[in-house]
């Protein structure tokens, strides 16, 4: 861990040097980790020596992800930091014998709770971005109210929005996906409020309005590996992440579409083996990996209904045994699929009701104060690129 901290500090210092040798780049669309290694003259064995789980993680790097790479004067790679989630990054470095090594280390960041309260001037998305610099916060705000009857095309100047959320910051800039705790929208003399509880959003009465609800892709699913952005493995003594849910099942078990949508991809992806990807409404996508084969007629561009047979469980790709890896993404960001599985649409258990009411009271207090103060937050300070390309 000390080596990782020194490496990270060294990278940051170089970012501010007069002649920096660190470059901040964006992960290209469609690029695999093997392409990165080859392009930077790093042995491909670095990938092939990874465990199957870590090879899957290397395949999860999302197009547009910002990463840093340190090179010497002869353009030889010394170190690289590549985020694989909001919590974890790959650290590639040369050891004392000048051999390349790879480890997964936590991303260093600061975390802040914020309350944003403002009146709409241009549009909900533009105004949120202007004051926070976060496009994902604007998208998240709209997602919170999905299914509530709000038509964001009819939001007018002067309407009020309030968001209670947490934002990570890294090197002075917003980082990762903001976590929204509560949201309020006043429009046309109506007030809508939503509150996060147990990873789902409910209105003030404890009712869930979200129309996008998944079913599990396997009947009688048994979770063998849960979703996590970062976890310290006490036996292996290293950090791991798993950006999906694994369901154990015999080879040939039918796999169903978790929701209505359009098939985006049918084929093979390195690490994942045979894969189906389905695009759903609202920026959602589901991924089904390690398949044994595809159902008859399944092809890209096909519209499909929830529960439709799409494939069969297998062990293709980097897999140690038959199982289904099931991923869920919102605007290319991995989220826990279990958070969108069909559940009871209202909170009814007495103990849960009491907990939910406490959440409502806490966030109402924060939102009312922000509205009463009527002070616009300072607009986000945009930092120039450290290096221009």
């Amino acid at each position: 861990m000390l080596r990782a901290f020194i490496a990270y500090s060294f990278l940051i210092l170089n970012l501010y040097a007069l002649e920096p040798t660190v470059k901040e780049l964006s992960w290209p669309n469609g690029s695999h980790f093997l392409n990165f290694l080859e392009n930077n003259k790093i042995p491909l064995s670095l990938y092939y020596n990874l465990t199957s789980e870590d090879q899957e993680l290397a395949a999860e790097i999302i197009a547009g992800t910002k990463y840093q790479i340190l090179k010497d004067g002869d353009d030889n790679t010394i170190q690289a930091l590549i985020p694989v989630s909001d919590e974890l990054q790959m650290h590639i470095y040369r050891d004392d014998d000048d051999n390349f090594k790879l480890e997964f280390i936590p991303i260093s960041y600061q975390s802040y709770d914020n309350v944003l309260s403002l009146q709409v001037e241009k549009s909900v998305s533009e105004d949120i971005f202007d004051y926070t610099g976060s496009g994902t916060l604007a998208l998240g705000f709209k997602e919170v109210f999905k299914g509530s009857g709000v038509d964001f095309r009819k939001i007018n100047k002067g309407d009020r929005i309030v968001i209670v959320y947490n934002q990570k910051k890294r090197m002075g800039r917003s980082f990762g996906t903001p976590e929204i705790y509560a949201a309020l929208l006043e429009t046309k003399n109506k007030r809508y409020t939503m509150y996060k509880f147990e990873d789902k959003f409910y209105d003030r009465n404890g009712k869930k309005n979200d129309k996008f609800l998944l079913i599990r892709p396997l009947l009688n699913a048994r979770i063998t590996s849960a979703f996590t952005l970062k976890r310290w493995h006490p036996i292996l003594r290293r950090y791991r992440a798993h950006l999906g849910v694994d369901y154990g099942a015999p080879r040939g078990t039918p796999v169903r579409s978790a929701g209505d949508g359009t098939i985006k991809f049918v084929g093979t992806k390195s690490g994942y083996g045979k894969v189906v990807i389905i695009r759903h409404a609202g920026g959602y996508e589901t991924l089904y990996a390690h398949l044994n084969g595809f159902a008859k007629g399944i092809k890209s561009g096909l519209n499909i209904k929830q529960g439709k047979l799409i494939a069969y469980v297998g062990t293709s790709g980097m897999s140690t045994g038959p199982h289904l890896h099931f991923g869920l993404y919102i605007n290319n960001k991995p989220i826990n699929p279990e958070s969108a599985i069909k559940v009871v649409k209202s909170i009814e258990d007495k103990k849960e009701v009491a907990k939910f009411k406490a959440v409502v009271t806490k966030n109402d207090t924060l939102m009312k104060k922000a509205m009463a103060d009527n002070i616009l937050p300072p607009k986000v300070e945009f930092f120039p690129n450290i290096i221009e390309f």
Side-chain angles (χ1 to χ4, degrees), residues 249-274:
R251 187 191 306 270
T253 300
V255 177
R256 319 178 282 169
S257 172
D260 295 348
T262 303
I263 296 180
K264 175 182 176 181
F265 177 85
V266 177
T268 301
K269 286 185 175 291
S270 180
Y272 277 137
K274 293 179 180 178

Side-chain angles (χ1 to χ4, degrees), residues 139-169:
L139 287 171
F141 180 78
K142 288 186 174 181
E143 285 299 316
V144 166
F145 290 101
K146 183 164 55 63
S148 65
V150 174
D151 186 347
F152 281 93
R153 296 170 298 181
K154 297 181 180 180
I155 301 299
N156 298 313
K157 182 176 180 178
D159 288 344
R160 169 71 65 175
I161 61 175
V162 185
I163 315 174
V164 183
Y165 68 102
N166 179 276
Q167 176 67 65
K168 301 180 183 72
K169 286 196 173 181

Side-chain angles (χ1 to χ4, degrees), residues 191-206:
R191 174 177 290 187
Y192 303 86
T193 51
M194 298 295 289
Y195 307 86
K196 188 173 187 179
F197 183 70
E198 302 292 340
D199 289 330
K200 298 178 178 66
F201 282 93
Y202 298 86
D203 66 15
R204 178 177 299 279
N205 298 315

Side-chain angles (χ1 to χ4, degrees), residues 337-381:
E338 289 289 309
S339 69
I341 297 296
K342 281 187 176 179
V343 294
V344 176
K345 289 198 173 184
S346 63
I347 302 170
E348 296 176 352
D349 179 84
K350 289 184 179 180
K351 290 183 179 179
E352 296 299 297
V353 168
K355 291 179 183 178
F356 177 70
K357 285 183 177 179
V359 168
V360 170
T361 299
K362 176 183 177 181
N363 286 289
D364 276 353
T365 300
L366 293 171
M367 290 191 289
K368 287 178 181 178
K369 183 179 186 305
M371 295 174 70
D373 289 346
N374 201 29
I375 299 174
L376 285 175
K379 289 192 175 183
V380 68
E381 180 182 357

Side-chain angles (χ1 to χ4, degrees), residues 85-142:
S85 74
D86 286 356
E87 299 286 341
L88 210 60
Q89 61 191 341
M90 287 191 289
H91 176 214
I92 300 170
Y93 64 96
R94 293 178 183 266
D95 65 11
D96 295 337
D97 297 321
D98 208 33
N99 296 318
F100 279 104
K101 300 291 184 182
L102 185 153
E103 61 184 352
F104 290 90
I105 62 174
I107 293 176
S108 178
Y109 61 82
Q110 297 77 45
S111 182
Y112 302 93
D113 286 336
N114 302 285
V115 182
L116 175 70
S117 175
L118 53 83
Q119 288 183 308
V120 175
E121 289 291 328
K122 293 178 284 187
S123 73
V124 170
S125 295
E126 288 180 278
D127 291 335
I128 292 175
F129 182 81
D130 284 348
Y131 279 94
T132 67
S134 175
T136 52
L137 182 62
L139 287 171
F141 180 78
K142 288 186 174 181

